Amino acid sequence: MEKQKYKKRSCWSDRAEALLIELWQSKVSAFRGSKKNSHIVEEMAMELQQQGVHFTASEIKSKMHNLSQRYRKEKTAVGSTGGSPSQWPLYDKMRSVLLPYVSYNAESLEKFSKFY
């Protein structure tokens, strides 16, 4: 049998994550416009490379997905009342990136559902 080849996991530094989140926040409105966002992620990859952070567009997309998932889990753990603050250092940064999206903002969903 042929051995399956597994892709080596990307290791993101704190600096690389912070740069990605900053860049993501600056382009958040572009992500909201079109359904196909691969060109935006490609631009982000090029901009990160100019800053010395070398990841492919698919690695960036995967990291964005993972950060979004982690934010959802943390938001659920914190609760809608904001009871215990999150211990995740990136929580507030991710909140500022994802809060404009209705799907991440439970308060907006509740307000929106009252109209229908």
Side-chain angles (χ1 to χ4, degrees):
M1 289 185 83
E2 190 176 317
K3 276 188 175 181
Q4 282 187 330
K5 293 182 180 180
Y6 293 99
K7 187 174 182 214
K8 184 181 168 194
R9 239 179 95 173
S10 301
C11 189
W12 287 73
S13 68
D14 291 344
R15 176 183 171 272
E17 285 181 340
L19 287 171
L20 173 63
I21 292 170
E22 279 180 36
L23 192 56
W24 187 358
Q25 189 168 19
S26 72
K27 296 189 178 288
V28 76
S29 60
F31 279 106
R32 299 181 100 203
S34 63
K35 294 185 191 246
K36 300 278 186 186
N37 295 320
S38 58
H39 65 286
I40 301 167
V41 178
E42 289 286 342
E43 287 174 17
M44 290 172 70
M46 286 188 288
E47 288 181 42
L48 286 172
Q49 285 176 6
Q50 290 172 354
Q51 297 186 42
V53 178
H54 300 280
F55 289 105
T56 65
S58 63
E59 290 171 321
I60 291 169
K61 187 174 179 181
S62 178
K63 185 64 173 181
M64 291 169 68
H65 173 77
N66 292 341
L67 288 169
S68 298
Q69 291 293 94
R70 174 78 189 268
Y71 172 76
R72 279 193 201 121
K73 285 181 185 177
E74 290 290 322
K75 186 167 172 58
T76 301
V78 167
S80 61
T81 59
S84 59
S86 174
Q87 299 302 309
W88 185 38
L90 298 176
Y91 180 79
D92 290 331
K93 288 181 181 179
M94 286 302 300
R95 185 174 190 271
S96 67
V97 170
L98 298 176
L99 201 58
Y101 288 104
V102 174
S103 62
Y104 290 99
N105 188 348
E107 295 83 23
S108 291
L109 283 176
E110 289 170 9
K111 289 175 189 174
F112 184 74
S113 65
K114 290 178 185 177
F115 294 112
Y116 292 96

